[in-house]
């Protein structure tokens, strides 16, 4: 597979022929057919929230129902029992740069985050400070706040977006980005845990995972990374970067379906030092002896709580096999080029209409989505859906996220979506939009 050339070599970004030329040269173009495309006119730019459905998932789930559960009944457990680990190995290999035995596919990102944050804090006894940023995803902020209250810890919220939070301290960050320089003044021998996003959910910024992990380690603390918006979009190399602990979901760029099982990663080098807070029976070393005492396995299973969702795992495996085949290098390259196209169209079309760019221009500092700000963002995002057959998403207070999910999204889809967005805002027709009444944005 030959690598893609820089954007400028395909032509002027505002010409549709440029997007068509990008698609013609795209080594991943064929993968769009692997997904259900019910409406070919729809520009789906929200793969950063919920990925499209791979056609292979239908067969995988159906086969599970009829050939496994339906036929095998309880005997199926003989081969289902370790599926959280098998699925974890696939996900780790395909998307995390993780060798076997360090990843589990189970539960939700929230539960996995709770488990790993608690484990990290307890692995640093005597340390009483935990650090998060105010632009972090709500579930991470709320869960860490709960843990801090439970364990009597001092929670520092780095106020990098002006929204504040418990124990807030103001920091000057560009595009919300937490850098080692911003973080370092808060690190000392009282800090047990720092938790950050690999790709910021709102702004799309990407911190330097290795540099921050090394810095926190130098001060004796641990980092829990949330890679929900990064997995399947950028080429993660957790083993090589020395990441200790990480979590993420599988329903965004992982295309595994709404509520699909999430994952956790615990580096082999620290597995013996960290323990689960929710001591489920799957974590017990001799699980089927069902003994009176909890004795955790000395490997990744010590973080498994309970029965894996096999139906969810079958859908997830179908999707991650496609990702593995396509390869994260090609996928991350398309995310970089596709987001560059979005930025070029933003410069030409959106900036003159009063939009601002909230994502870094440096492709090493972003992932698969670009975020633009506008005072009428909520209305514009809703009108794009109902009036132009283009799906972005809105995030409070004033952001619209526009993503290229590299496997199912074409460059032309991105181009058409951005053009419809420009025309809509230029015409001011979006001002006529009525609130849909949905709780979801
Ligand atoms: N699980 C959901 C259920 C309903 C609506 C959105 C979600 C999301 O996951 C949102 C995503 N994490 C985001 O960055 O906005």
């Amino acid at each position: 597979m030959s690598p893609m050339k820089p954007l400028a070599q395909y032509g002027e970004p505002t010409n549709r022929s440029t997007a068509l030329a990008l698609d013609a040269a795209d080594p991943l173009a064929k993968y769009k057919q692997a997904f259900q495309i019910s409406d070919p006119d729809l520009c789906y730019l929200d793969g950063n929230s919920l990925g499209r459905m791979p056609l292979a998932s239908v067969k995988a789930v159906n086969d599970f129902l009829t050939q496994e559960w339906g036929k095998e009944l309880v005997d199926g457990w003989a081969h289902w029992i370790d599926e959280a680990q098998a699925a974890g190995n696939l996900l780790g290999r395909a998307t995390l740069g993780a060798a076997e035995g360090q990843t589990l596919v189970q539960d939700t990102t929230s539960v996995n985050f709770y488990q790993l944050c608690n484990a990290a804090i307890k692995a640093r006894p005597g340390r009483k400070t935990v650090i998060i940023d105010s632009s972090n995803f709500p579930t991470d902020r709320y869960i860490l706040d709960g843990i801090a209250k439970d364990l009597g810890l001092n929670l520092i919220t780095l106020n990098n977006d002006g929204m504040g939070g418990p124990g807030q301290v103001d920091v000057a960050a560009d595009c919300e980005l937490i850098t080692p320089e911003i973080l370092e003044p808060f690190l000392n021998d009282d800090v047990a845990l720092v938790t950050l996003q690999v790709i910021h959910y709102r702004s799309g910024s990407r911190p330097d995972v290795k540099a921050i992990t090394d810095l926190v380690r130098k001060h004796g603390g641990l980092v829990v990374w949330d890679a929900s918006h990064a997995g399947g979009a950028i080429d993660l190399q957790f083993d090589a970067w020395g990441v200790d602990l990480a979590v993420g979901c599988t329903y965004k760029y992982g295309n595994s379906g709404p509520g699909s099982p999430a994952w956790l990663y615990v580096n082999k080098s620290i597995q013996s030092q960290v323990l689960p807070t929710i001591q489920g029976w799957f974590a017990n070393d001799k699980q089927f002896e069902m003994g009176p005492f909890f004795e955790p396995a000395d490997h990744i299973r010590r973080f498994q709580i309970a029965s894996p969702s096999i139906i969810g795992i079958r859908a997830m495996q179908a999707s991650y096999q496609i990702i593995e085949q396509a390869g994260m290098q090609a996928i991350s390259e398309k995310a970089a080029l596709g987001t560059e196209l979005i930025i070029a169209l933003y410069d030409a079309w959106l900036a003159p209409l009063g939009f601002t760019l909230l994502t870094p221009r440096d492709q090493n500092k972003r992932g698969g989505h670009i975020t633009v700000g506008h005072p009428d963002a909520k209305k514009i995002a809703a009108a794009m859906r109902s009036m132009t057959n283009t799906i972005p998403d809105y995030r409070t207070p004033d952001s619209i996220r526009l993503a290229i999910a590299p496997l199912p999204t074409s460059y032309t889809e991105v181009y058409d979506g951005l053009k419809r967005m420009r025309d809509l805002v230029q015409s001011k027709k979006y001002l006529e939009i009525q609130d849909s009444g949905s709780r979801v944005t």
Side-chain angles (χ1 to χ4, degrees):
M1 242 184 255
S2 57
M4 296 286 284
K5 298 176 290 186
L7 181 63
Q9 294 190 25
Y10 292 89
E12 161 57 39
T14 53
N15 293 337
R16 194 164 192 270
S17 57
T18 301
L20 289 165
L22 282 159
D23 282 332
D26 177 9
L28 301 179
K30 60 174 186 278
Y31 285 99
K32 187 159 186 166
Q33 297 162 27
F35 294 83
Q36 177 168 326
I37 310 289
S38 302
D39 174 4
D41 177 65
L42 172 69
C43 296
Y44 189 64
L45 307 182
D46 208 10
N48 56 305
S49 191
L50 181 69
R52 280 191 183 270
M53 189 195 73
L55 295 169
S57 309
V58 179
K59 181 166 160 37
V61 170
N62 195 48
D63 283 354
F64 165 70
L65 293 173
T66 58
Q67 306 303 314
E68 295 189 66
W69 176 23
K71 265 193 198 155
E72 297 171 355
L73 299 172
V74 75
D75 284 348
W77 276 118
H79 66 100
W80 298 329
I81 195 81
D82 289 323
E83 283 292 80
Q85 293 170 68
N89 288 338
L90 166 64
L91 183 143
R93 189 169 73 231
T95 61
L96 306 182
E100 293 203 345
Q102 305 179 102
T103 312
L104 284 178
V105 171
Q106 64 164 4
D107 299 310
T108 59
T109 311
S110 300
V111 171
N112 292 334
F113 181 77
Y114 177 81
Q115 283 276 71
L116 292 197
C117 285
N118 263 299
I121 292 162
K122 290 170 184 170
R124 293 293 179 267
R127 293 183 174 229
K128 292 276 178 206
T129 299
V130 293
I131 301 178
I132 195 166
D133 63 303
S134 58
S135 77
N136 212 312
F137 196 68
T139 208
D140 302 48
R141 289 185 281 109
Y142 304 158
I143 286 173
L144 191 64
D145 179 43
I147 292 173
K149 284 177 183 149
D150 255 12
L151 302 178
L153 304 175
N154 164 36
L155 171 62
I156 295 179
T157 301
L158 303 175
N159 188 15
N160 57 343
D161 64 357
M163 310 290 267
Q168 70 189 68
V169 287
D170 289 343
V171 294
D174 272 343
C175 302
E176 305 173 346
L177 194 65
I178 300 294
T179 59
E181 295 70 33
I182 288 175
L183 185 60
E184 180 135 42
F186 301 96
L187 297 176
N188 53 51
D189 63 8
D190 195 51
V191 176
L193 167 72
V194 175
T195 181
L196 298 168
Q197 306 164 94
V198 177
I199 296 288
H200 289 219
Y201 88 94
R202 191 199 294 116
S203 68
S205 298
R206 178 195 328 188
D208 186 335
V209 172
K210 182 173 175 357
I212 288 178
T213 303
D214 287 348
L215 177 67
V216 175
R217 184 180 296 127
K218 195 179 89 186
H219 289 271
L222 288 165
V223 185
V224 171
W225 288 101
D226 184 340
S228 291
H229 291 83
I234 62 173
D235 193 11
L236 301 170
Q237 292 297 333
F238 282 178
D239 288 358
W241 297 342
V243 167
D244 290 309
L245 302 159
V247 297
C249 73
T250 61
Y251 52 71
K252 299 177 183 294
Y253 301 99
N255 306 314
S256 302
S260 53
W263 55 267
L264 62 80
Y265 165 93
V266 182
N267 193 298
K268 267 236 155 71
S269 65
I270 63 154
Q271 283 179 6
S272 63
Q273 304 163 38
V274 280
L275 288 164
T277 290
I278 304 173
Q279 301 186 153
W281 72 301
F282 266 69
N284 213 40
D285 186 28
K286 299 192 173 66
Q287 186 184 357
F288 282 88
E289 285 190 6
M290 306 199 172
F293 299 105
F294 178 70
E295 286 160 13
D298 65 357
H299 51 86
I300 191 68
R301 186 159 55 78
R302 63 171 46 194
F303 278 101
Q304 186 166 356
I305 299 173
S307 312
S309 164
I310 306 297
I311 191 167
I313 283 177
R314 289 290 177 262
M316 168 268 155
Q317 285 167 324
S319 177
Y320 279 76
Q321 277 157 11
I322 301 172
I323 294 175
E324 183 172 37
Q325 188 193 51
M328 278 314 303
Q329 213 183 323
I331 290 174
S332 59
E333 217 179 89
K334 183 168 175 183
L337 199 53
T339 48
E340 203 173 321
L341 176 63
I342 298 174
I343 292 176
L345 296 176
Y346 157 84
D347 283 334
W349 292 341
L350 301 183
L353 294 172
F355 285 91
T356 50
L357 182 65
L358 304 175
T359 308
R361 285 177 183 272
D362 177 351
Q363 63 165 250
N364 297 312
K365 293 190 174 148
R366 60 173 201 256
H369 76 270
I370 293 296
T371 309
V372 294
H374 191 285
D376 289 335
K378 191 170 186 184
K379 279 194 166 156
I380 294 169
M384 283 173 72
R385 263 189 165 83
S386 62
M387 296 175 169
T388 77
N389 206 20
T390 299
I391 302 188
D393 65 20
Y394 162 76
R395 285 292 170 261
T396 181
D398 64 355
S399 304
I400 295 178
R401 301 187 300 183
L402 304 159
I404 178 155
L407 293 178
T409 318
S410 67
Y411 292 97
T412 314
E413 196 175 346
V414 166
Y415 176 92
D416 289 344
L418 268 283
K419 189 151 195 234
R420 292 175 194 181
M421 184 177 182
R422 176 200 66 177
D423 293 346
L424 176 78
V425 177
Q426 214 162 37
S427 72
K428 296 208 162 34
K429 263 189 77 108
Y430 72 89
L431 291 167
E432 297 161 20
I433 191 78
Q434 304 293 322
D435 195 320
S436 74
S438 171
R439 217 158 69 69
V440 184
T441 58

